[in-house]
Amino acid sequence: MAAELVGGAALGAVVGELFKAVLDLGERAINFNPVLKDISSKLNAITPLVKQIDELNEYLDISREETERLRGLMDEGKRLLLQCGDVKLGNLNYLKKPFYTQKLRDLDSALRSFMDVLLLQMARDQKKNLKMMNQMMEIICRLDNRGGSSKAMDLIVPPCLVPPLRERTVGLEKPVKELKLKLLKNGAQMVVVTAPGGCGKTTLALKFCHDKEIKDIFQGKILFVVVSRNPDWKLIFKNIIESLRGIQLPDSQNDERAFCYLELWLKQAAQNHPVLIVLDDVWNGPEAEGLLHKLLQLPHCKILVTSRFSFPRFSESYYLEPLSHENAIELLLLAASFEKESSKLPDEETIKKIIGGCKRLPLALKVIGTSLSRRPTSVWKVTGRNMSRSGSIFDSEKELLECLQSSLDELDDKMVIKESFMDLGSFRENQRIPASTFIDICRVLYEQDETEAMATLDELFSRSLVNSVTTRKYGYDDEFYEQYWFTQHDILRDLAIHLMNLEPIEQRKRLFLNINGNDVPKWWVHQEKHPSNARLISITTDERFSSSWPDMEASKVEILILNIHSRTYNLPGFMNRMIKLKVLIISNFDSFPTEMTSEDNQPLNCLPSLERTRFERISVPLFSNPNQKPLVNLQKISFFMCKFGQTKIWDLMPNLVEISVDFCKDLSGIPNGVCEIVRLEKLSITNCHGLCSLPEDIGKLINLRTLRLRSCIHLEELAESTTKLRGLVVLDISNCVGVAKLPEKIGELHELEKVDMRNCSSLRKLPLSIQHLKKLKLLCDGEIAEWLKTVAPHLAKQVKVHQEETNLEWLGL
């Protein structure tokens, strides 16, 4: 097994010793630079392999004989490097340079051989383990009376990754230390961090997860789950299992079966290292208490819960106190971009009043502090005076909302910022909101373009009214926002809803409806048609909703957001009278795509003004009715985790300007119908692992300016007709590891300004015609950059090389 030690060192440490020897040799071996560069390259390639072996030691079968062979190879390499260090021009050892050069080349070949063996054995072991897991799941499925399907499970991105801790924290060192004492040394299996909303419970949990000692103990097996109100525990259990094993599991019929899956996988996965499960924002109720009690039965598991409730019956509580006075001052000044020693600080009495008004709660301090950033001291004094008059103790959440509302009052001269903050109440609690959706809303309601909308979002972020969550490595660039997301604290969302509820229903500019089961608001039920003047309507339903809709007259609505959670969903009939509707967003929060229906089987037939749509986890046959009228004004359509099947939809959208398809795994090719949309300017198909090729007809898209195929890992090449896209400005094939060549005539794309080919590991060289592209800026890996220096030196100056950082910390050096 890979867990065996060879001479007291694991595989990673063995390779690390030789790597360190190469680095230490440095300039002393300048006479052997070319071959040493090759050896260093091999070690760079072997490093992640042995890291993976060390991490998966219980599942891979690397024998003692093989590890001893590696030890011998590394020892020989270190001795050889020491000898090479003594070879210098002018001494006797220099005569042996050819001898040592050949020895180094032999070492390089041996490393190559060993790397091939590792790759073959890891592939063998992974295939064997996948087969074993499939057999286990087949048994479980039979127990679940579902026919015993042995369909292979899909590899996935773990859904319970710990979010990064992006902000500087204040006053949490002591709570983290006390939590470690309770959860680790005192033997508690579950600890509930309890405090009112806005006290920093989630931030404390994140800091706990990122603590070095915690990381060392749990060895990467730390799962972070946002629970919130009305959770789907079946889905939560499923997400935990998928995060532990990295594979997509079949759906389960009930919570009990999902819990059995989790218990089984924990017994298998956590024998050597325990698992830490963080359940964030758990709400009180019999169901939550029962399921938390059940979690205590899980083996090899520690559980950290954050909640506004203590659950004293079966867990140990940790009450998170408000910040100390000193820490509260530090956080307030940090949020306001002041240094504590600054001579421009407001007077101590004013700061004391503000801190007292915020009751030392981190959320209130951050929001109020950012609203006062770069404001004159007179504004600080007025704010402090107003907060001291309203009282300094939050006896209820309503008083906290009133405190936060004062920060919005500062935005009266920036109404778009304030109004867009209010719009965010239309999304579900703790929902990750795509920046592209925010842009669609701002475009319609405030006539902002993409740049202006993103500036609005950045302003909300700078004022701590939203939190940034970037899911991809490179951040947002090139006007591509589909994989840039943000969230909002539930208290701030409650503030938006609270402010909306202060207005009479018929006067509201936005209407947020949250339906639990079939419990629709009374005002809606008691009137056959309740007129609404809202421009934005959001309706959230759960899995118990029967799709029985009361009628509504909403002829002025321009944006409709449907947040759903069910396998089937009947669209409201009153949609057909929304003649001004411009933006339609349907997001399904179930784990499988929703089948959409409507009373007349023509769900989008009467929406003549529709311009922009987004569908999440929806079955696309939504458009399959042959009598569906073309959506002639539709300019943009986005699909996220949708199921396409064999549907033909593109003929219904003749004037599309932008198409985005992300994480739609059954999309095997670009339908030819897309190539008939000659107005198309942006085509983004990302993370679609079923996409293997592009149609030859893609050359018909004469107005296409952006073609993005990021992370389509099975795409092998671009169609030659791609070179007919004479208006193309941006080509993105980053992370397309299967692409081995570009079209020979790519140099005919004279408008091409940027090609992103980072992490295209199969692409070793480029067509010679690329040197004709005078405007081109190229993002690529080092190998392509070196090739360009030889073939097209003038182009090499316009290359930005993507470099992965070499991190040797895991080697224990």
Side-chain angles (χ1 to χ4, degrees):
M1 301 291 288
E4 294 181 73
L5 299 181
V6 183
L11 282 174
V14 172
V15 175
E17 289 174 6
L18 182 58
F19 210 153
K20 190 171 184 296
V22 173
L23 296 176
D24 288 344
L25 198 57
E27 296 181 357
R28 290 190 295 125
I30 193 171
N31 297 298
F32 302 99
N33 267 354
V35 67
L36 283 176
K37 186 175 180 181
D38 290 341
I39 291 174
S40 181
S41 175
K42 297 295 187 305
L43 290 171
N44 267 318
I46 290 176
T47 292
L49 299 180
V50 295
K51 177 182 179 182
Q52 188 175 358
I53 290 171
D54 283 342
E55 289 177 344
L56 303 177
N57 52 51
E58 61 201 279
Y59 308 114
L60 300 178
D61 189 17
I62 308 297
S63 69
R64 173 174 287 275
E65 179 183 348
E66 290 155 350
T67 51
E68 286 179 347
R69 179 188 164 206
L70 177 62
R71 162 65 78 178
L73 187 62
M74 299 299 109
D75 287 343
E76 179 186 346
K78 285 191 294 182
R79 286 194 298 271
L80 181 58
L81 289 171
L82 288 173
Q83 293 169 342
C84 290
D86 294 330
V87 175
K88 299 177 182 177
L89 185 64
N91 65 16
L92 292 177
N93 287 332
Y94 189 75
L95 298 176
K96 296 182 180 180
K97 179 186 174 184
F99 171 77
Y100 287 123
T101 299
Q102 185 56 48
K103 285 286 187 181
L104 287 172
R105 295 198 183 282
D106 291 343
L107 175 63
D108 181 55
S109 297
L111 288 171
R112 171 77 251 186
S113 252
F114 190 81
M115 186 169 67
D116 291 341
V117 170
L118 285 181
L119 286 170
L120 287 171
Q121 291 183 332
M122 289 175 70
R124 175 199 67 194
D125 293 333
Q126 288 170 352
K127 185 176 180 181
K128 180 176 68 176
N129 287 325
L130 181 59
K131 181 179 179 181
M132 179 186 70
M133 287 187 285
N134 281 333
Q135 290 171 343
M136 292 174 66
M137 287 311 303
E138 182 178 359
I139 294 171
I140 296 173
C141 291
R142 285 174 178 168
L143 291 173
D144 206 18
N145 296 318
R146 297 195 293 130
S149 171
S150 59
K151 180 181 178 181
M153 291 162 277
D154 295 320
L155 296 176
I156 61 163
V157 177
C160 299
L161 292 175
V162 179
L165 187 59
R166 298 184 180 277
E167 58 187 16
R168 177 179 158 188
T169 62
V170 175
L172 292 181
E173 291 76 13
K174 181 180 178 183
V176 167
K177 184 177 180 180
E178 292 172 343
L179 268 185
K180 286 196 284 188
L181 182 65
K182 280 180 174 288
L183 199 59
L184 302 178
K185 296 183 179 179
N186 292 353
Q189 186 176 352
M190 179 187 291
V191 174
V192 177
V193 177
T194 180
C199 279
K201 300 182 294 295
T202 299
T203 305
L204 172 59
L206 287 175
K207 190 170 181 66
F208 185 82
C209 291
H210 287 285
D211 181 83
K212 186 179 185 304
E213 182 183 359
I214 295 300
K215 287 183 175 181
D216 291 342
I217 291 173
F218 293 99
Q219 295 290 306
K221 292 181 179 177
I222 304 176
L223 310 179
F224 196 96
V225 184
V226 179
V227 179
S228 303
R229 297 180 179 97
N230 306 315
D232 183 344
W233 286 100
K234 175 183 67 176
L235 180 61
I236 287 173
F237 290 148
K238 182 173 180 285
N239 285 343
I240 290 173
I241 304 165
E242 291 178 347
S243 296
L244 284 171
R245 309 305 279 171
I247 52 175
Q248 187 169 13
L249 300 180
D251 191 30
S252 177
Q253 293 177 353
N254 53 53
D255 293 347
E256 187 62 38
R257 179 56 59 195
F259 180 79
C260 289
Y261 290 160
L262 177 57
E263 188 174 29
L264 174 63
W265 283 111
L266 279 176
K267 286 179 179 178
Q268 296 295 323
Q271 293 180 9
N272 295 328
H273 297 293
V275 173
L276 173 63
I277 299 176
V278 179
L279 301 175
D280 185 44
D281 194 21
V282 178
W283 284 70
N284 198 9
E287 183 183 15
E289 287 195 8
L291 287 166
L292 286 179
H293 180 71
K294 185 174 289 188
L295 287 172
L296 286 170
Q297 305 169 28
L298 292 175
H300 318 300
C301 188
K302 295 284 188 177
I303 301 163
L304 181 65
V305 177
T306 72
S307 178
R308 301 179 192 186
F309 313 94
S310 60
F311 303 103
R313 183 167 65 90
F314 51 80
S315 64
E316 187 166 349
S317 294
Y318 177 83
Y319 184 78
L320 180 59
E321 298 282 353
L323 294 174
S324 68
H325 182 75
E326 284 297 316
N327 285 330
I329 292 177
E330 182 180 351
L331 183 57
L332 177 69
L333 298 182
L334 179 66
S337 303
F338 269 116
E339 294 295 334
K340 195 171 182 180
E341 295 79 13
S342 173
S343 59
K344 298 181 180 180
L345 282 178
D347 63 90
E348 186 176 342
E349 186 63 25
T350 295
I351 292 177
K352 184 177 179 180
K353 288 178 180 179
I354 293 175
I355 289 174
C358 292
K359 194 51 181 177
R360 294 177 284 135
L361 295 182
L363 177 63
L365 289 165
K366 286 192 290 186
V367 173
I368 298 297
T370 53
S371 72
L372 293 173
S373 179
R374 299 180 178 86
R375 303 301 297 273
T377 54
S378 59
V379 176
W380 281 72
K381 288 182 178 181
V382 170
T383 302
R385 186 166 59 246
N386 291 340
M387 294 184 74
S388 65
R389 287 173 180 171
S390 62
S392 62
I393 299 177
F394 296 126
D395 294 323
S396 67
E397 187 173 295
K398 181 179 178 181
E399 294 185 13
L400 173 57
L401 296 179
E402 290 173 352
C403 170
L404 297 174
Q405 182 179 344
S406 66
S407 68
L408 291 184
D409 294 339
E410 299 293 330
L411 295 175
D412 286 343
D413 59 338
K414 298 182 178 182
M415 289 307 297
V416 172
I417 307 294
K418 185 174 182 178
E419 293 295 321
S420 61
F421 167 81
M422 296 284 292
D423 296 333
L424 298 181
S426 59
F427 297 96
R428 280 185 21 144
E429 182 181 347
N430 289 314
Q431 177 182 342
R432 293 195 316 172
I433 305 168
S436 58
T437 297
F438 182 81
I439 291 170
D440 291 340
I441 293 173
C442 290
R443 183 181 290 271
V444 170
L445 295 183
Y446 314 115
E447 299 181 353
Q448 291 187 324
D449 60 22
E450 287 185 347
T451 303
E452 291 168 331
M454 288 306 296
T456 298
L457 184 56
D458 287 339
E459 180 79 9
L460 290 171
F461 174 71
S462 69
R463 293 176 175 271
S464 298
L465 295 174
V466 297
N467 301 314
S468 170
V469 181
T470 306
T471 60
R472 59 195 181 94
K473 184 181 297 185
Y474 311 124
Y476 62 84
D477 53 11
D478 300 331
E479 300 178 352
F480 180 55
Y481 308 109
E482 290 295 329
Q483 292 176 0
Y484 178 77
W485 310 69
F486 63 96
T487 61
Q488 187 176 46
H489 196 286
D490 52 358
I491 292 292
L492 293 172
R493 176 180 176 270
D494 290 345
L495 173 60
I497 296 173
H498 168 71
L499 294 177
M500 179 202 70
N501 289 334
L502 295 178
E503 300 174 334
I505 294 172
E506 61 276 6
Q507 296 180 15
R508 293 177 186 174
K509 291 182 287 186
R510 52 187 69 80
L511 193 61
F512 306 151
L513 303 173
N514 190 18
I515 302 175
N516 295 317
N518 293 300
D519 187 16
V520 299
K522 292 181 180 179
W523 61 261
W524 192 3
V525 176
H526 292 164
Q527 299 187 43
E528 183 178 350
K529 289 184 179 180
H530 191 100
S532 172
N533 292 310
R535 297 180 67 191
L536 184 155
I537 293 180
S538 168
I539 305 176
T540 300
T541 56
D542 59 20
E543 67 274 13
R544 298 169 295 163
F545 181 60
S546 65
S547 291
S548 178
W549 294 98
D551 204 357
M552 178 188 292
E553 195 65 38
S555 59
K556 295 184 179 181
V557 69
E558 296 179 69
I559 298 175
L560 177 63
I561 300 175
L562 300 175
N563 302 310
I564 67 180
H565 190 163
S566 60
R567 295 295 183 86
T568 60
Y569 186 82
N570 190 38
L571 291 167
F574 53 79
M575 277 181 60
N576 291 332
R577 299 194 299 276
M578 293 181 174
I579 58 174
K580 292 186 178 181
L581 187 67
K582 295 180 180 179
V583 176
L584 174 63
I585 300 165
I586 305 179
S587 301
N588 169 35
F589 295 90
D590 195 68
S591 55
F592 286 84
T594 292
E595 299 286 342
M596 308 293 295
T597 60
S598 67
E599 294 176 358
D600 57 4
N601 201 29
Q602 299 182 39
L604 306 182
N605 226 15
C606 301
L607 302 175
S609 302
L610 193 62
E611 296 177 0
R612 314 171 83 79
T613 64
R614 178 179 175 87
F615 302 106
E616 297 188 19
R617 297 182 182 87
I618 302 297
S619 183
V620 181
L622 167 71
F623 300 92
S624 62
N625 189 291
N627 298 319
Q628 171 72 47
K629 296 178 182 179
L631 300 169
V632 294
N633 287 315
L634 190 63
Q635 299 176 23
K636 175 185 174 184
I637 190 166
S638 301
F639 300 97
F640 177 76
M641 288 190 172
C642 289
K643 180 180 179 182
F644 277 87
Q646 300 300 316
T647 187
K648 296 181 179 180
I649 63 174
W650 307 107
D651 294 342
L652 304 173
M653 310 168 190
N655 298 318
L656 276 175
V657 175
E658 181 175 352
I659 297 174
S660 175
V661 183
D662 193 25
F663 280 105
C664 297
K665 64 180 181 180
D666 71 331
L667 185 73
S668 57
I670 300 177
N672 284 325
V674 172
C675 300
E676 303 297 329
I677 308 175
V678 293
R679 293 174 181 258
L680 197 64
E681 296 181 9
K682 291 183 181 180
L683 177 59
S684 297
I685 300 179
T686 54
N687 299 293
C688 294
H689 297 169
L691 183 68
C692 300
S693 61
L694 302 183
E696 280 298 326
D697 284 349
I698 197 170
K700 294 181 179 179
L701 299 175
I702 57 175
N703 292 304
L704 197 68
R705 294 176 55 82
T706 300
L707 177 60
R708 199 177 307 277
L709 304 166
R710 176 176 293 172
S711 299
C712 293
I713 60 175
H714 291 133
L715 182 66
E716 296 180 355
E717 61 181 1
L718 304 184
E720 286 296 329
S721 62
T722 306
T723 58
K724 296 180 181 179
L725 304 174
R726 299 304 168 86
L728 196 66
V729 176
V730 175
L731 174 63
D732 184 352
I733 56 171
S734 58
N735 299 313
C736 290
V737 295
V739 172
K741 64 176 183 177
L742 296 181
E744 288 297 325
K745 297 182 179 180
I746 194 172
E748 297 180 2
L749 300 177
H750 297 296
E751 298 302 315
L752 198 58
E753 295 181 5
K754 180 176 179 179
V755 175
D756 189 343
M757 55 178 66
R758 290 172 283 191
N759 294 317
C760 291
S761 55
S762 298
L763 197 60
R764 304 298 174 84
K765 61 181 181 178
L766 305 177
L768 294 178
S769 66
I770 201 168
Q771 59 188 312
H772 300 146
L773 301 177
K774 306 301 183 183
K775 303 177 183 179
L776 184 64
K777 292 183 179 179
L778 192 63
L779 281 74
C780 63
D781 297 329
E783 188 170 352
I784 290 291
E786 291 296 323
W787 180 84
L788 282 171
K789 287 180 182 178
T790 304
V791 178
H794 68 285
L795 191 59
K797 298 177 182 178
Q798 299 166 238
V799 171
K800 182 177 180 181
V801 180
H802 168 61
Q803 294 181 337
E804 294 285 354
E805 293 184 5
T806 302
N807 186 351
L808 301 179
E809 288 184 3
W810 62 274
L811 293 171
L813 299 177

